[in-house]
Amino acid sequence: MAITTRGFGGRRAPAEKPLPPGQFLTEDFPVLSAGPTPNVDEAHWQFSVHTESGEVRRWDWAALMAMPVEDVTTDIHCVTRWSRFDTQWRGVSVDAFFEDVESEAEFVMVHSYGGYTTNLPLEDLLDGKAWIAFEHGGEPLAPLHGGPVRLIVPHLYFWKSAKWVRGFVMQEHEEPGFWEQNGYHLYGDPWLEQRYA
Ligand SMILES: Nc1nc2c(c(=O)[nH]1)N[C@H]1C(S)=C(S)[C@@H](COP(=O)(O)O)O[C@H]1N2
Ligand SMILES: [Mo]
């Protein structure tokens, strides 16, 4: 077992795996929430996809549990400059939620319980790039970290990974979500340091 001493502000990235520019590595799991933690229990959790034609598809907890589960190990990068390597999640690929959805819209507004929103191009949620996650580190996802269910979009800054996620609304034109309206970049690629607009 490797023993490392963590200095103030975390330790440097191992040479074999690069960090995005301006990021430091931490082994903590900081909590960043723009408001109070909404109380969402599994029995009342619902997830929906709304298309531009008014079609709505809905899933409840039982439906989620019946979907194909994936285990994902991935790095995450917060715009406030902390990154974590090899975080472990269990969830369902976002692809599975779009299987029976017919839409021509190219953008998605993600909505959370509690009112948080964030915008994404649809293609950034598809092809194995994003998950609806309900476990972290082998445990049910803690409410502070978005439990019972959050979105994970690890290739973008972590503000795109909406906690307490409750649905996607398809959009023909991209609109800014909560942080994007408050100065964050519309897209948020950590490798290009797209922090602020
Ligand atoms: N619903 C909701 N989702 C959210 C946020 C939030 O305030 N509300 N904060 C975002 C930001 S800025 C980050 S860095 C991550 C933090 O997730 P964590 O608290 O589990 O570390 O959640 C993102 N998703
Ligand atoms: Mo963040």
Side-chain angles (χ1 to χ4, degrees):
M1 189 176 77
I3 298 170
T4 52
T5 308
R6 239 184 310 141
F8 179 78
R11 61 185 168 84
R12 297 185 73 84
E16 66 272 18
K17 185 144 92 172
L19 269 173
Q23 295 294 110
F24 70 84
L25 200 56
T26 182
E27 289 178 2
D28 301 330
F29 195 176
V31 172
L32 277 108
S33 301
T37 298
N39 186 9
V40 188
D41 60 44
E42 294 168 4
H44 296 99
W45 179 82
Q46 277 209 340
F47 183 79
S48 56
V49 176
H50 301 247
T51 72
E52 69 277 18
S53 64
E55 188 203 349
V56 186
R57 294 268 291 115
R58 290 181 202 281
W59 294 261
D60 62 9
W61 185 260
L64 177 70
M65 290 298 115
M67 293 172 87
V69 165
E70 294 180 13
D71 287 307
V72 180
T73 300
T74 187
D75 306 338
I76 56 178
H77 311 291
C78 174
V79 72
T80 63
R81 300 187 182 271
W82 57 266
S83 291
R84 293 178 67 210
F85 281 167
D86 300 323
T87 58
Q88 294 180 327
W89 306 90
R90 173 168 286 181
V92 174
S93 171
V94 171
D95 294 291
F97 293 86
F98 279 97
E99 265 175 20
D100 299 321
V101 172
E102 276 182 40
S103 172
E104 298 291 313
E106 288 175 25
F107 301 98
V108 177
M109 185 67 82
V110 182
H111 290 259
S112 293
Y113 291 96
Y116 186 84
T117 55
T118 189
N119 59 285
L120 291 146
L122 176 59
E123 63 177 20
D124 286 87
L125 292 171
L126 299 181
D127 298 322
K129 293 197 285 290
W131 292 268
I132 297 291
F134 50 86
E135 286 187 22
H136 172 265
E139 303 284 343
L141 187 57
L144 277 174
H145 289 296
V149 178
R150 79 179 295 167
L151 178 65
I152 297 294
V153 193
H155 70 287
L156 299 177
Y157 280 126
F158 209 39
W159 87 75
K160 298 287 183 181
S161 295
K163 305 195 280 190
W164 317 294
V165 69
R166 71 177 174 90
F168 296 151
V169 177
M170 305 303 302
Q171 303 193 120
E172 281 157 283
H173 304 284
E174 191 159 38
E175 309 258 348
F178 174 76
W179 279 121
E180 295 85 358
Q181 285 171 42
N182 285 282
Y184 283 14
H185 195 277
L186 205 57
Y187 184 64
D189 183 338
W191 298 96
L192 300 177
E193 272 206 276
Q194 293 175 339
R195 297 177 192 276
Y196 308 108

